[in-house]
Amino acid sequence: MYARVIVDIQASQVDRVFDYAIPPAYEGRVLPGTRVSVPFGSRRGVEGFVVALTEETQVPLSRIRPLNRLLDPEPVLLPAMLDLAYWVRDTYHCLLVDALRLMLPAEMRGGRVREKTETWISLGDLPAWEEVEGLLARSPALLRALRLLREEGGTLPLPKLRQVSPLSAGQLDKLTARGWVRLEEVSCRRRPYTRIVGEESGPPPATHDQERAVAAVCQAIDRGRGAFLLHGVTGSGKTEVYMRCAQHALDEGKGVLILVPEIALTPQMVARFTGRFGSRAAVLHSRLSAGERYDEWRRIRRGEAQVVIGARSAVFAPLAEPGLIVVDEEHENSYRSEHTPRYDAVEVARRRADSEGAVLLAGSATPSVARYHEALAGRYTLLTMPWRIGGRPMPPVAVVDMREELLHGNRSMFSGRLVSELHRCLQAGEQAILFMNRRGYASFVSCRACGYVVKCQDCDLSMTYHKHGERLICHYCGREQPAPQVCPACGSRAIKQFGGGTERIQEEVLRHFPEVRVLRMDADTTRGKEGHLPILEAFGRGEAQVLVGTQMVAKGLDFPRVTLVGVVAADMSLYSSDYRAAERTFDLIAQVAGRAGRSERPGTVVVQTYAPEHPSIQAAARHDYEGFYQGEIQGRELAQLPPFANFYRLMLQHERPETADGDLEELSRRLDALLQEHPQWQKRILLRQGGTAPVERIRGVSRRQILIKAAAIPLMAEAEAALAALAREPLPGNSVIWLEVNPVNML
Ligand code: ADP
Ligand code: ZN
Ligand code: ZN
């Protein structure tokens, strides 16, 4: 037998299997999915994955080398995951090794984390106790240690024993030499989220809508196939549906994977699941320490945890026999990876469900337009929950025209309506959430005399003013510099801040209501390991009346005392050049609005905008997803936008702009040649542009692109693969190049 190995080296020249002989000592223990160390070229030990075993090899026997050793006692990759890795490679045009790397905690590679162990001390063969006392009469420390061990049932962690009786290494040796005690390394687990233990409350009786949805999904779980799109308004009780379906899968002896967007993976959210499923649940999260992540991963791999809750990358959790895969808030962009491999976790979940006999349950209050379109076409079974729990009404939404406010001389960030609603809310002892899609104090700094805008030196983007520390920060690369007092271009003192951010809103609230406590939640205030936790807990305990924040406050939060939600600048997402701008605006307003009035107290939403007549804003104010969808899908069909067409973007970057330009020309020539060979593809191309990317420079690197829009028809899968191959060909100037398909971010 020979092992076919993919070496863990990220280079396309070596992205193929290499055969190795299996030394007799490892006979029978090398299985597909095992990690091994192999000699490779002149290197003595390189990590690799066994992807298959074979009895025959093309390599001449004289040249075949034995593998060095196994890296783990058992295969780390399940057969289904190996299969998935090949699918990821083919679907997202990456190296197999890139796909395989997704399947393991990064820390495992290179042996950077190991199992954490602790030394335990246990009693061995002891003579009669009187005899021990006699023998140790002159060693009170030893005697005390043995007595403690006896009292504690014969075994203790060594550090604990040493706290009571500080034994030296020599004294320990004496005891072990006599066989009176044994020392053992015991593996111990780093358990994250030990601080939050969800309460073990029984599930509430399901509503009719919930029952209907649960029944449909559970039947599918029993059949072992199905894909559902659960469209339920905010507060309709989708989470309860997930949990009931999960319980059913567990009862059937199957595993459950629950994906939530990174920012929604709050302690609140986790506690709801750990409260229901206790120690059967594992959490995978980027904020975990390397050790914690590794331990949770192993608990899943060993079958000790059958419910996995995690963000995007958890779709690759080593769960055997999944029966249900839930994707909450399926419309969220964070399910799309923006680095190689550029995978879409919802698509991966779909593929896993289909090939491993599981059911996919994707849920959202504002389904992505593309997915809803698929559901209507029959690719997903649509389930709807149009009512909030307890018959609570959706909160009324007041759309405030900020142009009117300006006309009436109100230049502040708050409309009269928002201030009066805040007043009412605070008087009643209730809480408010104010949403703004940008952190910092002002969105940009510009000179009134000459029009100069302060941009980042390394990026082609304006810098954001942060009042805290009087600094300008580039939100792309993180560059910071002091805010200028005079215009760097013309020397005028008329250099001013424009636009607003969360910092400024916080200040504005305090200007109107000096007595009120305001918390702010954005990337600036959630840096630490605990992240959102302290802020959310404080708000939940009622230590502040107002919470100001970015997208982080828009999603999933469930605070019963919140009765007012203010969207301070609703159109900020409307004017981006992205074709999904309208979808994002609808989604944001609908989601933020969903935070209000979630308990007996009714809620109100105030949406401030300069475009009150915009269809997205109008539909969101009516809580009318259907209406929004119908208008949007018609518009997309007319304009030939996804899902009726696809965007392909060949991105290219280089430190030197001239080199980037030269390489872009060469790439364009190669594309011409490719299309000449395939006239049938040429015919499908609706648009082709080449030149600088919308953001010309990021972190000092010049960016160029070729943007192609092509009709979405099956034939294009082949064309897509050809474009991906083009993106792997080195260019004369060695620019970095990659392919994006319908990118989340078109900048
Ligand atoms: P969604 O995820 O759809 O926005 P949630 O799952 O957060 O909604 O549910 C909203 C609230 O309703 C939560 O506080 C939840 O505990 C509660 N809830 C859910 N289902 C029921 C039910 N069947 N009976 C009573 N309360 C419920
Ligand atoms: Zn100036
Ligand atoms: Zn920058």
Side-chain angles (χ1 to χ4, degrees), residues 366-394:
T366 54
S368 70
V369 167
R371 192 113 41 221
Y372 201 74
H373 182 72
E374 282 188 276
L376 295 182
R379 254 200 103 214
Y380 289 83
T381 304
L382 192 59
L383 302 169
T384 51
M385 299 205 297
W387 310 111
R388 282 190 158 180
I389 292 290
R392 271 162 219 144
M394 296 301 287

Side-chain angles (χ1 to χ4, degrees), residues 444-649:
F444 62 101
V445 170
S446 166
C447 170
R448 287 201 177 174
C450 74
Y452 175 86
V453 174
V454 185
K455 285 191 168 184
C456 173
Q457 276 176 31
D458 297 327
C459 310
D460 173 35
L461 289 158
S462 55
M463 296 184 88
T464 304
Y465 173 68
H466 288 243
K467 196 163 192 174
H468 182 78
E470 289 282 316
R471 304 189 73 69
L472 292 175
I473 301 179
C474 170
H475 286 183
Y476 256 80
C477 71
R479 167 187 278 279
E480 290 191 23
Q481 63 196 52
Q485 301 301 311
V486 296
C487 172
C490 75
S492 159
R493 297 204 144 266
I495 186 149
K496 289 257 151 42
Q497 303 128 17
F498 293 89
T502 45
E503 228 184 358
R504 180 150 166 225
I505 295 176
Q506 184 176 25
E507 192 180 279
E508 195 92 330
V509 176
L510 290 170
R511 199 166 60 77
H512 285 283
F513 307 97
E515 311 289 294
V516 155
R517 285 221 27 180
V518 186
L519 286 167
R520 176 160 57 91
M521 191 159 91
D522 56 29
D524 293 328
T525 61
T526 54
R527 287 255 155 80
K529 179 172 158 52
E530 302 245 287
H532 320 53
L533 189 55
I535 298 174
L536 289 179
E537 280 182 347
F539 193 62
R541 284 193 302 264
E543 282 168 27
Q545 291 78 57
V546 181
L547 175 65
V548 174
T550 52
Q551 283 97 310
M552 289 179 191
V553 302
K555 318 282 172 157
L557 302 185
D558 189 10
F559 292 112
R561 286 175 54 196
V562 171
T563 59
L564 174 65
V565 165
V567 181
V568 179
D571 13 34
M572 260 175 61
S573 53
L574 214 50
Y575 299 115
S576 78
S577 56
D578 198 297
Y579 70 92
R580 275 155 303 194
E583 181 174 351
R584 262 178 216 156
T585 303
F586 178 87
D587 158 40
L588 266 177
I589 298 176
Q591 295 283 348
V592 195
R595 302 310 119 217
R598 292 174 72 88
S599 66
E600 302 76 43
R601 305 177 208 216
T604 308
V605 180
V606 176
V607 172
Q608 304 190 146
T609 171
Y610 288 94
E613 66 292 335
H614 191 282
S616 288
I617 290 175
Q618 285 293 323
R622 295 192 310 269
H623 305 289
D624 180 11
Y625 176 81
E626 273 294 325
F628 159 73
Y629 171 80
Q630 291 303 342
E632 181 66 17
I633 200 82
Q634 275 170 25
R636 295 227 192 145
E637 186 158 23
L638 270 176
Q640 287 291 291
L641 293 168
F644 303 98
N646 287 316
F647 283 108
Y648 300 96
R649 185 157 87 141

Side-chain angles (χ1 to χ4, degrees), residues 171-484:
Q171 287 174 312
L172 268 177
D173 285 347
K174 208 183 272 174
L175 290 178
T176 47
R178 289 188 179 180
W180 288 6
V181 300
R182 272 192 319 272
L183 294 179
E184 272 168 315
E185 292 296 308
V186 175
S187 97
C188 59
R189 289 283 144 72
R190 290 152 282 211
R191 287 298 309 277
Y193 289 102
T194 36
R195 270 189 64 194
I196 18 160
V197 185
E199 65 259 46
E200 295 273 3
S201 63
T207 63
H208 275 300
D209 277 349
Q210 285 175 331
E211 232 164 60
R212 221 167 15 90
V214 170
V217 176
C218 289
Q219 270 174 24
I221 292 173
D222 294 343
R223 282 199 309 273
R225 75 194 134 82
F228 295 88
L229 177 60
L230 173 61
H231 176 211
V233 298
T234 53
S236 59
K238 294 185 289 295
T239 310
E240 185 59 34
V241 172
Y242 305 150
M243 289 201 281
R244 281 172 183 261
C245 297
Q247 187 64 57
H248 181 79
L250 287 176
D251 293 345
E252 298 296 308
K254 294 178 178 169
V256 179
L257 198 53
I258 296 166
L259 304 183
V260 299
E262 184 82 43
I263 53 172
L265 199 55
T266 56
Q268 233 187 355
M269 177 77 180
V270 171
R272 278 171 88 174
F273 286 96
T274 51
R276 190 70 65 86
F277 301 112
S279 61
R280 303 181 74 175
V283 183
L284 292 174
H285 190 208
S286 65
R287 280 187 196 266
L288 301 185
S289 72
E292 286 170 341
R293 200 160 35 229
Y294 176 60
D295 284 357
E296 287 293 85
W297 189 89
R298 271 187 327 139
R299 236 157 51 82
I300 302 162
R301 176 67 186 84
R302 292 183 177 168
E304 292 163 17
Q306 299 91 26
V307 182
V308 179
I309 302 143
R312 178 175 70 213
S313 59
V315 75
F316 297 107
L319 189 70
E321 286 191 67
L324 175 69
I325 304 180
V326 172
V327 184
D328 189 25
E329 315 279 7
E330 61 74 29
H331 62 280
E332 280 286 317
N333 283 338
S334 64
Y335 286 123
R336 299 274 307 269
S337 166
E338 293 195 72
H339 307 281
T340 304
R342 291 165 194 278
Y343 67 93
D344 175 343
V346 189
E347 280 180 7
V348 178
R350 178 74 198 253
R351 155 75 198 194
R352 269 197 89 170
D354 288 350
S355 69
E356 295 179 54
V359 168
L360 176 64
L361 173 57
S364 174
T366 54
S368 70
V369 167
R371 192 113 41 221
Y372 201 74
H373 182 72
E374 282 188 276
L376 295 182
R379 254 200 103 214
Y380 289 83
T381 304
L382 192 59
L383 302 169
T384 51
M385 299 205 297
W387 310 111
R388 282 190 158 180
I389 292 290
R392 271 162 219 144
M394 296 301 287
V397 177
V399 177
V400 177
D401 187 345
M402 292 304 274
R403 293 170 306 193
E404 293 277 323
E405 297 287 320
L406 260 184
L407 278 179
H408 291 101
N410 178 5
R411 303 190 142 270
S412 87
M413 299 201 67
F414 290 177
S415 60
R417 179 70 186 265
L418 185 55
V419 173
S420 66
E421 290 288 351
L422 260 175
H423 188 75
R424 179 205 53 78
C425 169
L426 297 172
Q427 282 279 307
E430 295 165 353
Q431 289 179 307
I433 292 180
L434 298 181
F435 168 77
M436 176 80 190
N437 211 356
R438 180 181 276 111
R439 67 191 162 99
Y441 190 83
S443 35
F444 62 101
V445 170
S446 166
C447 170
R448 287 201 177 174
C450 74
Y452 175 86
V453 174
V454 185
K455 285 191 168 184
C456 173
Q457 276 176 31
D458 297 327
C459 310
D460 173 35
L461 289 158
S462 55
M463 296 184 88
T464 304
Y465 173 68
H466 288 243
K467 196 163 192 174
H468 182 78
E470 289 282 316
R471 304 189 73 69
L472 292 175
I473 301 179
C474 170
H475 286 183
Y476 256 80
C477 71
R479 167 187 278 279
E480 290 191 23
Q481 63 196 52

Side-chain angles (χ1 to χ4, degrees), residues 8-235:
D8 196 356
I9 297 174
Q10 208 173 14
S12 52
Q13 308 88 283
V14 300
D15 196 51
R16 58 180 183 86
V17 291
F18 294 90
D19 292 350
Y20 287 88
I22 301 173
Y26 296 130
E27 205 78 60
R29 288 178 54 210
V30 179
L31 299 168
T34 308
R35 284 193 321 146
V36 289
S37 159
V38 293
F40 192 75
S42 59
R43 293 167 67 178
R44 288 178 53 197
V46 172
E47 289 186 10
F49 300 91
V50 178
V51 293
L53 297 179
T54 176
E55 299 201 0
E56 282 167 32
T57 172
Q58 314 296 336
V59 185
L61 282 184
S62 57
R63 290 196 39 213
I64 205 149
R65 297 200 265 177
L67 55 84
N68 298 333
R69 61 193 172 86
L70 304 192
L71 293 175
D72 313 284
E74 62 210 337
V76 289
L77 295 169
L78 299 160
M81 300 309 282
L82 264 180
D83 182 54
L84 186 65
Y86 282 101
W87 180 86
V88 166
R89 178 194 65 181
D90 296 341
T91 308
Y92 303 108
H93 319 291
C94 61
L95 304 179
L96 185 58
V97 67
D98 288 326
L100 289 168
R101 284 178 179 184
L102 292 173
M103 319 257 160
L104 301 180
E107 303 78 18
M108 224 167 140
R109 299 174 32 239
R112 272 168 290 157
V113 285
R114 274 169 229 287
E115 214 165 312
K116 188 173 164 191
T117 59
E118 195 174 37
T119 311
W120 281 60
I121 180 166
S122 317
L123 282 181
D125 290 326
L126 224 54
W129 186 245
E130 300 79 56
E131 200 177 322
V132 174
E133 284 186 321
L135 283 167
L136 295 182
R138 311 245 224 109
S139 319
L142 292 186
L143 200 55
R144 195 159 0 116
L146 289 178
R147 192 174 292 133
L148 182 71
L149 266 175
R150 265 164 56 112
E151 284 164 9
E152 294 285 326
T155 182
L156 268 181
L158 185 59
K160 207 163 164 194
L161 181 89
R162 278 191 159 149
Q163 274 171 12
V164 180
S165 180
L167 298 182
S168 68
Q171 287 174 312
L172 268 177
D173 285 347
K174 208 183 272 174
L175 290 178
T176 47
R178 289 188 179 180
W180 288 6
V181 300
R182 272 192 319 272
L183 294 179
E184 272 168 315
E185 292 296 308
V186 175
S187 97
C188 59
R189 289 283 144 72
R190 290 152 282 211
R191 287 298 309 277
Y193 289 102
T194 36
R195 270 189 64 194
I196 18 160
V197 185
E199 65 259 46
E200 295 273 3
S201 63
T207 63
H208 275 300
D209 277 349
Q210 285 175 331
E211 232 164 60
R212 221 167 15 90
V214 170
V217 176
C218 289
Q219 270 174 24
I221 292 173
D222 294 343
R223 282 199 309 273
R225 75 194 134 82
F228 295 88
L229 177 60
L230 173 61
H231 176 211
V233 298
T234 53

